[in-house]
Amino acid sequence: MNKEQLLQYYHRFCRWQQAVPHYVNRHQDTVQCCHNCGTRFADNFCPRCGQRAEVGRVGWNSIKDNIAILWGLDSRSLTYTLVQLLGRPGYLVRDYISGHRQVSFPPVKMLVIVCLFVVIFEAVFHLKNNVLEIKFNVKEIDDVIGWINAQKSWATLFFQSLYILPTWLVFRFAPDYPRHMLPEGFFLQVFLSVQALLLSLFGYWSGTVELVLWLIYMYITYRQLFGYGWWGTLWRLAVVMLTQMAVMLIIVIVVIYFFGYDEESRSDVNTIRILLSVFAVTVVLVAVMLSVTHRINAGRIPQQHASYNLMPIEE
């Protein structure tokens, strides 16, 4: 395989990544009557009740279709969406939050199914892949960490949820998606949670490989979704991740203060000073990072990307 062929494959892959979803009407030349409400139409679905055009008598295919729908293997295939999530993650998220909902498997339902798969996979093969490989030698805190490691799916969703607010503050003036909203950030993190759970399968082999792949995919997703350049995405994502880590540090400080010390230790002046100092410095650093980032972004308010028309905000 020569260099020209590699370039052709690369450009074809890029075109596949950036392709905008389109609707295909397989029944546009056939007028039929809906078996449910009697409406005559020439489309894939009845415009009155929404029933599929292919619905007929109940048979073996009906059993197969209902089982497929239960596990996400129908027209909005779970496997298809997972391939999209790994091959074009940022563009898939942008498609979904821009209004192309029918081309993607429902993200929250997908998260539940992938969580269930990870739990069953770990139970069957007796595998363990901890979320946090740290110990504080404080029983209460170590118990919390133990619970987090035992409930990896919920812990992943919790950690990802801490990215929602920093992402909104840092990326809401992005070139390709200038009206990023907090509810959209929720669905972004749901997709990223599914992505993180899939990548966690590599963690059973090597935790380092899992971490590196997760960082790469985070970067690719944010760059494809928001449209900043390589450097612009890198430093903004670094701010988001540092903010999330700072929030986690604040949570740890609160847990240590309220659960890690008895009344005598909690009344110690030096202990209080250390905890309050770390807490104050963390809050100030987060405020400075977000303030500087906001000023930089606000001074570069971009035009809306021509390829993606944003839907009106749902009240």
Side-chain angles (χ1 to χ4, degrees):
M1 186 177 295
N2 55 36
K3 182 178 179 181
E4 288 73 15
Q5 289 178 320
L6 288 175
L7 286 175
Q8 289 179 358
Y9 284 121
Y10 173 73
H11 292 308
R12 186 183 304 173
F13 178 70
C14 291
R15 288 194 298 270
W16 171 77
Q17 284 186 315
Q18 301 178 34
V20 179
H22 61 281
Y23 177 79
V24 178
N25 183 2
R26 301 187 301 273
H27 304 274
Q28 59 184 351
D29 298 325
T30 305
V31 178
Q32 52 193 317
C33 183
C34 177
H35 294 281
N36 183 51
C37 65
T39 301
R40 297 182 63 82
F41 64 99
D43 209 332
N44 295 332
F45 297 90
C46 174
R48 183 177 181 184
C49 68
Q51 181 164 279
R52 294 176 60 178
E54 292 88 354
V55 171
R57 293 188 62 181
V58 174
W60 293 109
N61 285 334
S62 301
I63 299 176
K64 181 194 69 175
D65 291 342
N66 277 270
I67 295 176
I69 291 173
L70 175 64
W71 292 103
L73 301 175
D74 56 328
S75 58
R76 288 191 288 172
S77 171
L78 173 61
T79 53
Y80 171 80
T81 303
L82 294 179
V83 170
Q84 295 270 312
L85 187 60
L86 296 177
R88 52 187 300 272
Y91 297 122
L92 171 66
V93 176
R94 192 196 297 180
D95 290 341
Y96 185 84
I97 62 181
S98 297
H100 299 284
R101 308 284 165 78
Q102 295 300 318
V103 300
S104 170
F105 191 78
V108 176
K109 183 179 179 181
M110 178 170 59
L111 177 61
V112 173
I113 293 176
V114 173
C115 286
L116 180 62
F117 170 78
V118 172
V119 171
I120 294 176
F121 184 81
E122 290 181 343
V124 170
F125 294 97
H126 304 286
L127 298 173
K128 189 174 183 181
N129 183 10
N130 292 334
V131 179
L132 298 175
E133 295 283 357
I134 55 177
K135 284 191 175 182
F136 288 89
N137 294 322
V138 178
K139 182 180 182 302
E140 291 79 3
I141 300 177
D142 290 340
D143 288 344
V144 173
I145 294 177
W147 182 87
I148 290 174
N149 290 330
Q151 306 291 332
K152 182 171 184 177
S153 301
W154 289 106
T156 299
L157 184 59
F158 170 72
F159 290 136
Q160 289 290 341
S161 68
L162 298 180
Y163 286 106
I164 295 176
L165 183 58
T167 298
W168 174 71
L169 291 172
V170 173
F171 285 95
R172 60 180 173 150
F173 298 116
D176 285 3
Y177 213 87
R179 290 181 55 205
H180 181 62
M181 307 291 290
L182 286 174
E184 296 168 346
F186 167 79
F187 285 101
L188 166 62
Q189 299 308 324
V190 169
F191 278 109
L192 288 176
S193 297
V194 174
Q195 194 180 85
L197 288 171
L198 292 176
L199 296 177
S200 70
L201 298 178
F202 290 92
Y204 304 117
W205 169 51
S206 172
T208 302
V209 172
E210 177 190 356
L211 177 61
V212 171
L213 287 175
W214 176 73
L215 292 174
I216 292 174
Y217 265 101
M218 281 280 289
Y219 176 80
I220 292 174
T221 302
Y222 275 71
R223 187 173 190 272
Q224 291 181 352
L225 174 59
F226 296 111
Y228 285 109
W230 292 101
W231 169 245
T233 303
L234 181 62
W235 73 261
R236 286 176 174 85
L237 181 58
V239 172
V240 171
M241 299 184 74
L242 288 173
T243 303
Q244 191 262 7
M245 293 173 61
V247 173
M248 285 299 304
L249 179 59
I250 292 173
I251 294 175
V252 169
I253 292 174
V254 172
V255 172
I256 290 176
Y257 179 75
F258 284 101
F259 301 102
Y261 295 96
D262 53 23
E263 291 296 332
E264 182 179 352
S265 300
R266 196 178 297 130
S267 62
D268 182 69
V269 176
N270 291 330
T271 301
I272 295 177
R273 285 179 178 175
I274 292 174
L275 293 177
L276 290 179
S277 298
V278 176
F279 183 88
V281 170
T282 304
V283 171
V284 170
L285 287 177
V286 170
V288 170
M289 286 191 299
L290 294 180
S291 177
V292 172
T293 306
H294 172 76
R295 288 182 177 274
I296 293 175
N297 290 336
R300 301 177 181 177
I301 300 178
Q303 297 296 322
Q304 178 177 320
H305 196 280
S307 300
Y308 287 86
N309 296 320
L310 303 180
M311 296 179 63
I313 299 174
E314 297 178 1
E315 298 294 342

